[in-house]
Amino acid sequence: MKKSWKRKEKTSPDNNDAGLHDALRIEWCKSKARADRWSEEVELLREEMRRVCAFFESRAVEWERRAKYTHSVSSILGLVLPTELALTQGRTAYAMNQAAQFRAMGAHCQALWRFVDGYIQSEEHTLIPPELVEDSNDV
């Protein structure tokens, strides 16, 4: 008599159902933990995006404050020397340029991230930004 290479276990249907139930419960717990980690990651990324935009705006405001300060220093001194006037105008122009650059970086980030909230709120997660959709005529 030839024996099968598979080992046959003697299990009752009740014992098998309990093992299956335990395995499903463990798998559910793992899936729940993964989902919770992803939800936390989404919250962290949204906060990071908010902070990046706030940082760029705060830097722009700081450079605008510097531009006003350099302008007011020359007027307080009452000196209207050509070199002093040129330096003041140069500093003011530089500060305003820096403020504009920080505002542009903030606007760029907001433009890149404008679809994130809609994507997170959609249940299908199929929202594709228009600039990422390929035109079928280009193929």
Side-chain angles (χ1 to χ4, degrees):
M1 178 184 257
K2 189 174 183 182
K3 291 189 176 183
S4 172
W5 63 275
K6 292 183 182 178
R7 183 175 177 193
K8 293 185 179 182
E9 296 181 16
K10 295 181 180 178
T11 58
S12 68
D14 294 334
N15 188 18
N16 195 17
D17 287 344
L20 178 63
H21 181 70
D22 288 343
L24 288 174
R25 187 172 22 166
I26 290 169
E27 189 59 36
W28 183 89
C29 290
K30 288 180 182 179
S31 297
K32 172 89 168 78
R34 276 191 299 270
D36 289 346
R37 282 194 301 269
W38 276 109
S39 294
E40 182 181 6
E41 186 67 24
V42 167
E43 289 176 31
L44 291 172
L45 285 173
R46 289 176 79 185
E47 178 61 19
E48 187 175 355
M49 291 179 342
R50 185 195 67 77
R51 287 182 183 210
V52 165
C53 292
F55 168 76
F56 286 141
E57 180 59 27
S58 70
R59 297 302 292 169
V61 168
E62 175 65 23
W63 277 105
E64 287 173 346
R65 187 193 62 77
R66 289 178 185 176
K68 290 177 186 174
Y69 177 73
T70 58
H71 186 66
S72 64
V73 168
S74 64
S75 64
I76 289 172
L77 295 175
L79 300 173
V80 191
L81 298 172
T83 56
E84 183 66 31
L85 182 62
L87 281 173
T88 301
Q89 289 175 344
R91 288 179 184 142
T92 301
Y94 179 79
M96 294 307 288
N97 185 30
Q98 289 296 105
Q101 286 182 6
F102 278 108
R103 285 239 162 77
M105 287 188 283
H108 180 70
C109 289
Q110 288 176 347
L112 287 175
W113 299 331
R114 69 186 181 276
F115 294 105
V116 172
D117 286 332
Y119 180 77
I120 291 168
Q121 293 171 358
S122 73
E123 293 182 14
E124 296 178 14
H125 299 293
T126 58
L127 187 65
I128 300 173
E131 59 267 12
L132 296 180
V133 176
E134 294 181 16
D135 191 8
S136 60
N137 296 334
D138 293 340
V139 177

